[in-house]
PDB file of all heavy atoms in Angstrom:
ATOM      1  N   LEU A  83     -17.567   1.086 -11.199  1.00  0.00           N
ATOM      2  CA  LEU A  83     -17.454  -0.270 -11.330  1.00  0.00           C
ATOM      3  C   LEU A  83     -16.141  -0.560 -12.257  1.00  0.00           C
ATOM      4  O   LEU A  83     -15.931  -0.023 -13.256  1.00  0.00           O
ATOM      5  CB  LEU A  83     -18.588  -0.737 -12.169  1.00  0.00           C
ATOM      6  CG  LEU A  83     -19.928  -0.883 -11.549  1.00  0.00           C
ATOM      7  CD1 LEU A  83     -21.037  -1.242 -12.342  1.00  0.00           C
ATOM      8  CD2 LEU A  83     -19.847  -1.837 -10.273  1.00  0.00           C
ATOM      9  N   ASP A  84     -15.354  -1.432 -11.658  1.00  0.00           N
ATOM     10  CA  ASP A  84     -14.056  -1.659 -12.264  1.00  0.00           C
ATOM     11  C   ASP A  84     -13.935  -3.248 -12.447  1.00  0.00           C
ATOM     12  O   ASP A  84     -13.833  -3.902 -11.369  1.00  0.00           O
ATOM     13  CB  ASP A  84     -12.951  -1.157 -11.333  1.00  0.00           C
ATOM     14  CG  ASP A  84     -11.547  -1.801 -11.429  1.00  0.00           C
ATOM     15  OD1 ASP A  84     -11.276  -2.438 -12.433  1.00  0.00           O
ATOM     16  OD2 ASP A  84     -10.707  -1.457 -10.703  1.00  0.00           O
ATOM     17  N   GLY A  85     -14.076  -3.817 -13.568  1.00  0.00           N
ATOM     18  CA  GLY A  85     -13.925  -5.154 -13.795  1.00  0.00           C
ATOM     19  C   GLY A  85     -15.290  -5.941 -13.939  1.00  0.00           C
ATOM     20  O   GLY A  85     -15.414  -7.084 -14.086  1.00  0.00           O
ATOM     21  N   PHE A  86     -16.361  -5.015 -13.807  1.00  0.00           N
ATOM     22  CA  PHE A  86     -17.741  -5.400 -14.085  1.00  0.00           C
ATOM     23  C   PHE A  86     -18.530  -4.332 -14.743  1.00  0.00           C
ATOM     24  O   PHE A  86     -18.260  -3.211 -14.271  1.00  0.00           O
ATOM     25  CB  PHE A  86     -18.343  -5.869 -12.725  1.00  0.00           C
ATOM     26  CG  PHE A  86     -19.747  -6.323 -12.844  1.00  0.00           C
ATOM     27  CD1 PHE A  86     -19.863  -7.816 -12.960  1.00  0.00           C
ATOM     28  CD2 PHE A  86     -20.772  -5.648 -13.003  1.00  0.00           C
ATOM     29  CE1 PHE A  86     -21.125  -8.404 -13.085  1.00  0.00           C
ATOM     30  CE2 PHE A  86     -22.108  -6.224 -13.303  1.00  0.00           C
ATOM     31  CZ  PHE A  86     -22.286  -7.512 -13.227  1.00  0.00           C
ATOM     32  N   PRO A  87     -19.245  -4.693 -15.695  1.00  0.00           N
ATOM     33  CA  PRO A  87     -19.452  -5.932 -16.401  1.00  0.00           C
ATOM     34  C   PRO A  87     -18.474  -6.304 -17.388  1.00  0.00           C
ATOM     35  O   PRO A  87     -17.553  -5.553 -17.851  1.00  0.00           O
ATOM     36  CB  PRO A  87     -20.771  -5.721 -17.210  1.00  0.00           C
ATOM     37  CG  PRO A  87     -20.806  -4.211 -17.532  1.00  0.00           C
ATOM     38  CD  PRO A  87     -20.102  -3.548 -16.501  1.00  0.00           C
ATOM     39  N   ARG A  88     -18.253  -7.703 -17.578  1.00  0.00           N
ATOM     40  CA  ARG A  88     -17.135  -8.205 -18.436  1.00  0.00           C
ATOM     41  C   ARG A  88     -17.661  -8.888 -19.585  1.00  0.00           C
ATOM     42  O   ARG A  88     -16.926  -9.622 -20.260  1.00  0.00           O
ATOM     43  CB  ARG A  88     -16.267  -9.150 -17.549  1.00  0.00           C
ATOM     44  CG  ARG A  88     -14.992  -8.454 -17.259  1.00  0.00           C
ATOM     45  CD  ARG A  88     -14.168  -9.593 -16.572  1.00  0.00           C
ATOM     46  NE  ARG A  88     -12.818  -9.451 -16.377  1.00  0.00           N
ATOM     47  CZ  ARG A  88     -12.062  -8.811 -15.501  1.00  0.00           C
ATOM     48  NH1 ARG A  88     -12.747  -8.180 -14.464  1.00  0.00           N
ATOM     49  NH2 ARG A  88     -10.820  -8.820 -15.579  1.00  0.00           N
ATOM     50  N   SER A  89     -19.070  -8.956 -19.854  1.00  0.00           N
ATOM     51  CA  SER A  89     -19.692  -9.626 -20.807  1.00  0.00           C
ATOM     52  C   SER A  89     -21.066  -9.025 -21.086  1.00  0.00           C
ATOM     53  O   SER A  89     -21.558  -8.278 -20.220  1.00  0.00           O
ATOM     54  CB  SER A  89     -19.881 -11.114 -20.645  1.00  0.00           C
ATOM     55  OG  SER A  89     -20.725 -11.233 -19.419  1.00  0.00           O
ATOM     56  N   THR A  90     -21.668  -9.191 -22.182  1.00  0.00           N
ATOM     57  CA  THR A  90     -22.938  -8.695 -22.395  1.00  0.00           C
ATOM     58  C   THR A  90     -24.047  -9.205 -21.538  1.00  0.00           C
ATOM     59  O   THR A  90     -24.916  -8.348 -20.918  1.00  0.00           O
ATOM     60  CB  THR A  90     -23.397  -8.910 -23.994  1.00  0.00           C
ATOM     61  OG1 THR A  90     -22.337  -8.584 -24.761  1.00  0.00           O
ATOM     62  CG2 THR A  90     -24.692  -8.189 -24.415  1.00  0.00           C
ATOM     63  N   SER A  91     -23.981 -10.522 -21.143  1.00  0.00           N
ATOM     64  CA  SER A  91     -24.893 -11.052 -20.145  1.00  0.00           C
ATOM     65  C   SER A  91     -24.796 -10.313 -18.801  1.00  0.00           C
ATOM     66  O   SER A  91     -25.815 -10.021 -18.207  1.00  0.00           O
ATOM     67  CB  SER A  91     -24.827 -12.556 -20.036  1.00  0.00           C
ATOM     68  OG  SER A  91     -23.398 -12.814 -19.449  1.00  0.00           O
ATOM     69  N   GLN A  92     -23.589  -9.964 -18.583  1.00  0.00           N
ATOM     70  CA  GLN A  92     -23.453  -9.131 -17.205  1.00  0.00           C
ATOM     71  C   GLN A  92     -23.954  -7.826 -17.348  1.00  0.00           C
ATOM     72  O   GLN A  92     -24.505  -7.187 -16.350  1.00  0.00           O
ATOM     73  CB  GLN A  92     -21.936  -9.110 -16.805  1.00  0.00           C
ATOM     74  CG  GLN A  92     -21.360 -10.553 -16.329  1.00  0.00           C
ATOM     75  CD  GLN A  92     -20.010 -10.446 -15.839  1.00  0.00           C
ATOM     76  OE1 GLN A  92     -19.358  -9.463 -15.648  1.00  0.00           O
ATOM     77  NE2 GLN A  92     -19.431 -11.679 -15.588  1.00  0.00           N
ATOM     78  N   ALA A  93     -23.701  -7.197 -18.525  1.00  0.00           N
ATOM     79  CA  ALA A  93     -24.274  -5.789 -18.826  1.00  0.00           C
ATOM     80  C   ALA A  93     -25.661  -5.725 -18.553  1.00  0.00           C
ATOM     81  O   ALA A  93     -26.200  -4.778 -17.943  1.00  0.00           O
ATOM     82  CB  ALA A  93     -23.734  -5.259 -20.045  1.00  0.00           C
ATOM     83  N   ILE A  94     -26.436  -6.807 -19.208  1.00  0.00           N
ATOM     84  CA  ILE A  94     -27.892  -6.867 -19.092  1.00  0.00           C
ATOM     85  C   ILE A  94     -28.252  -6.936 -17.544  1.00  0.00           C
ATOM     86  O   ILE A  94     -29.245  -6.351 -17.167  1.00  0.00           O
ATOM     87  CB  ILE A  94     -28.413  -7.959 -20.046  1.00  0.00           C
ATOM     88  CG1 ILE A  94     -28.083  -7.593 -21.561  1.00  0.00           C
ATOM     89  CG2 ILE A  94     -29.831  -8.093 -19.907  1.00  0.00           C
ATOM     90  CD1 ILE A  94     -28.237  -8.614 -22.608  1.00  0.00           C
ATOM     91  N   ALA A  95     -27.642  -7.888 -17.028  1.00  0.00           N
ATOM     92  CA  ALA A  95     -27.891  -7.987 -15.498  1.00  0.00           C
ATOM     93  C   ALA A  95     -27.727  -6.761 -14.736  1.00  0.00           C
ATOM     94  O   ALA A  95     -28.594  -6.442 -13.789  1.00  0.00           O
ATOM     95  CB  ALA A  95     -27.069  -9.192 -14.832  1.00  0.00           C
ATOM     96  N   LEU A  96     -26.720  -6.017 -15.049  1.00  0.00           N
ATOM     97  CA  LEU A  96     -26.555  -4.807 -14.478  1.00  0.00           C
ATOM     98  C   LEU A  96     -27.515  -3.784 -14.647  1.00  0.00           C
ATOM     99  O   LEU A  96     -28.105  -3.175 -13.778  1.00  0.00           O
ATOM    100  CB  LEU A  96     -25.084  -4.208 -14.761  1.00  0.00           C
ATOM    101  CG  LEU A  96     -24.740  -2.806 -14.237  1.00  0.00           C
ATOM    102  CD1 LEU A  96     -24.621  -2.866 -12.758  1.00  0.00           C
ATOM    103  CD2 LEU A  96     -23.494  -2.265 -14.940  1.00  0.00           C
ATOM    104  N   ASP A  97     -28.035  -3.673 -15.933  1.00  0.00           N
ATOM    105  CA  ASP A  97     -29.153  -2.811 -16.372  1.00  0.00           C
ATOM    106  C   ASP A  97     -30.284  -3.142 -15.574  1.00  0.00           C
ATOM    107  O   ASP A  97     -31.063  -2.228 -15.026  1.00  0.00           O
ATOM    108  CB  ASP A  97     -29.415  -2.918 -17.700  1.00  0.00           C
ATOM    109  CG  ASP A  97     -28.323  -2.288 -18.728  1.00  0.00           C
ATOM    110  OD1 ASP A  97     -27.558  -1.544 -18.038  1.00  0.00           O
ATOM    111  OD2 ASP A  97     -28.290  -2.524 -19.961  1.00  0.00           O
ATOM    112  N   GLU A  98     -30.709  -4.416 -15.403  1.00  0.00           N
ATOM    113  CA  GLU A  98     -31.818  -4.841 -14.731  1.00  0.00           C
ATOM    114  C   GLU A  98     -31.773  -4.456 -13.268  1.00  0.00           C
ATOM    115  O   GLU A  98     -32.731  -3.943 -12.718  1.00  0.00           O
ATOM    116  CB  GLU A  98     -32.045  -6.449 -14.790  1.00  0.00           C
ATOM    117  CG  GLU A  98     -32.599  -6.822 -16.187  1.00  0.00           C
ATOM    118  CD  GLU A  98     -32.453  -8.314 -16.396  1.00  0.00           C
ATOM    119  OE1 GLU A  98     -31.907  -9.002 -15.442  1.00  0.00           O
ATOM    120  OE2 GLU A  98     -32.678  -8.744 -17.621  1.00  0.00           O
ATOM    121  N   GLN A  99     -30.678  -4.650 -12.658  1.00  0.00           N
ATOM    122  CA  GLN A  99     -30.341  -4.376 -11.183  1.00  0.00           C
ATOM    123  C   GLN A  99     -30.598  -2.817 -11.022  1.00  0.00           C
ATOM    124  O   GLN A  99     -31.194  -2.393  -9.960  1.00  0.00           O
ATOM    125  CB  GLN A  99     -29.105  -4.893 -10.689  1.00  0.00           C
ATOM    126  CG  GLN A  99     -28.769  -4.604  -9.207  1.00  0.00           C
ATOM    127  CD  GLN A  99     -29.748  -5.332  -8.264  1.00  0.00           C
ATOM    128  OE1 GLN A  99     -30.599  -5.991  -8.707  1.00  0.00           O
ATOM    129  NE2 GLN A  99     -29.406  -5.007  -6.981  1.00  0.00           N
ATOM    130  N   LEU A 100     -29.967  -2.086 -11.907  1.00  0.00           N
ATOM    131  CA  LEU A 100     -29.952  -0.641 -11.663  1.00  0.00           C
ATOM    132  C   LEU A 100     -31.369  -0.107 -11.919  1.00  0.00           C
ATOM    133  O   LEU A 100     -31.778   0.812 -11.273  1.00  0.00           O
ATOM    134  CB  LEU A 100     -28.968   0.105 -12.688  1.00  0.00           C
ATOM    135  CG  LEU A 100     -27.474  -0.080 -12.408  1.00  0.00           C
ATOM    136  CD1 LEU A 100     -26.730   0.393 -13.441  1.00  0.00           C
ATOM    137  CD2 LEU A 100     -27.166   0.501 -11.022  1.00  0.00           C
ATOM    138  N   ALA A 101     -32.167  -0.649 -12.862  1.00  0.00           N
ATOM    139  CA  ALA A 101     -33.482  -0.289 -12.971  1.00  0.00           C
ATOM    140  C   ALA A 101     -34.322  -0.416 -11.733  1.00  0.00           C
ATOM    141  O   ALA A 101     -35.157   0.331 -11.336  1.00  0.00           O
ATOM    142  CB  ALA A 101     -34.184  -0.913 -14.195  1.00  0.00           C
ATOM    143  N   GLU A 102     -34.077  -1.665 -11.226  1.00  0.00           N
ATOM    144  CA  GLU A 102     -34.713  -2.072  -9.855  1.00  0.00           C
ATOM    145  C   GLU A 102     -34.501  -0.989  -8.715  1.00  0.00           C
ATOM    146  O   GLU A 102     -35.161  -0.554  -7.926  1.00  0.00           O
ATOM    147  CB  GLU A 102     -34.299  -3.370  -9.333  1.00  0.00           C
ATOM    148  CG  GLU A 102     -35.458  -4.180  -8.817  1.00  0.00           C
ATOM    149  CD  GLU A 102     -34.803  -5.767  -8.657  1.00  0.00           C
ATOM    150  OE1 GLU A 102     -34.837  -6.403  -9.629  1.00  0.00           O
ATOM    151  OE2 GLU A 102     -34.248  -5.955  -7.547  1.00  0.00           O
ATOM    152  N   LEU A 103     -33.145  -0.531  -8.822  1.00  0.00           N
ATOM    153  CA  LEU A 103     -32.777   0.391  -7.687  1.00  0.00           C
ATOM    154  C   LEU A 103     -32.928   1.919  -8.138  1.00  0.00           C
ATOM    155  O   LEU A 103     -32.646   2.780  -7.439  1.00  0.00           O
ATOM    156  CB  LEU A 103     -31.188   0.238  -7.445  1.00  0.00           C
ATOM    157  CG  LEU A 103     -30.797  -1.121  -6.915  1.00  0.00           C
ATOM    158  CD1 LEU A 103     -29.131  -1.150  -6.987  1.00  0.00           C
ATOM    159  CD2 LEU A 103     -31.214  -1.245  -5.431  1.00  0.00           C
ATOM    160  N   LYS A 104     -33.536   2.074  -9.214  1.00  0.00           N
ATOM    161  CA  LYS A 104     -33.870   3.335  -9.888  1.00  0.00           C
ATOM    162  C   LYS A 104     -32.492   4.208  -9.906  1.00  0.00           C
ATOM    163  O   LYS A 104     -32.509   5.403  -9.564  1.00  0.00           O
ATOM    164  CB  LYS A 104     -34.853   4.085  -9.017  1.00  0.00           C
ATOM    165  CG  LYS A 104     -36.216   3.379  -9.048  1.00  0.00           C
ATOM    166  CD  LYS A 104     -37.389   4.289  -8.478  1.00  0.00           C
ATOM    167  CE  LYS A 104     -38.667   3.708  -8.676  1.00  0.00           C
ATOM    168  NZ  LYS A 104     -38.772   2.267  -8.470  1.00  0.00           N
ATOM    169  N   ARG A 105     -31.551   3.658 -10.468  1.00  0.00           N
ATOM    170  CA  ARG A 105     -30.257   4.343 -10.762  1.00  0.00           C
ATOM    171  C   ARG A 105     -29.871   4.090 -12.135  1.00  0.00           C
ATOM    172  O   ARG A 105     -30.298   3.155 -12.813  1.00  0.00           O
ATOM    173  CB  ARG A 105     -29.217   3.816  -9.731  1.00  0.00           C
ATOM    174  CG  ARG A 105     -29.459   4.274  -8.298  1.00  0.00           C
ATOM    175  CD  ARG A 105     -28.979   3.322  -7.483  1.00  0.00           C
ATOM    176  NE  ARG A 105     -28.201   3.762  -6.437  1.00  0.00           N
ATOM    177  CZ  ARG A 105     -27.350   2.978  -5.641  1.00  0.00           C
ATOM    178  NH1 ARG A 105     -27.296   1.770  -5.941  1.00  0.00           N
ATOM    179  NH2 ARG A 105     -26.782   3.544  -4.564  1.00  0.00           N
ATOM    180  N   THR A 106     -28.799   4.945 -12.568  1.00  0.00           N
ATOM    181  CA  THR A 106     -28.352   4.793 -13.902  1.00  0.00           C
ATOM    182  C   THR A 106     -26.729   5.005 -13.921  1.00  0.00           C
ATOM    183  O   THR A 106     -26.211   5.419 -12.954  1.00  0.00           O
ATOM    184  CB  THR A 106     -28.806   5.896 -14.890  1.00  0.00           C
ATOM    185  OG1 THR A 106     -28.685   7.144 -14.294  1.00  0.00           O
ATOM    186  CG2 THR A 106     -30.360   5.714 -15.178  1.00  0.00           C
ATOM    187  N   ILE A 107     -26.203   4.460 -14.989  1.00  0.00           N
ATOM    188  CA  ILE A 107     -24.790   4.672 -15.244  1.00  0.00           C
ATOM    189  C   ILE A 107     -24.622   6.110 -15.985  1.00  0.00           C
ATOM    190  O   ILE A 107     -25.315   6.174 -17.085  1.00  0.00           O
ATOM    191  CB  ILE A 107     -24.202   3.586 -16.035  1.00  0.00           C
ATOM    192  CG1 ILE A 107     -24.266   2.176 -15.245  1.00  0.00           C
ATOM    193  CG2 ILE A 107     -22.683   3.893 -16.488  1.00  0.00           C
ATOM    194  CD1 ILE A 107     -23.423   2.084 -14.087  1.00  0.00           C
TER     195      ILE A 107
END
Side-chain angles (χ1 to χ4, degrees):
L83 287 176
D84 162 6
F86 185 95
R88 255 180 157 97
S89 61
T90 307
S91 58
Q92 292 184 5
I94 292 168
L96 175 65
D97 286 346
E98 287 168 2
Q99 175 68 0
L100 290 172
E102 218 170 276
L103 296 169
K104 298 194 172 35
R105 285 147 134 197
T106 50
I107 296 295

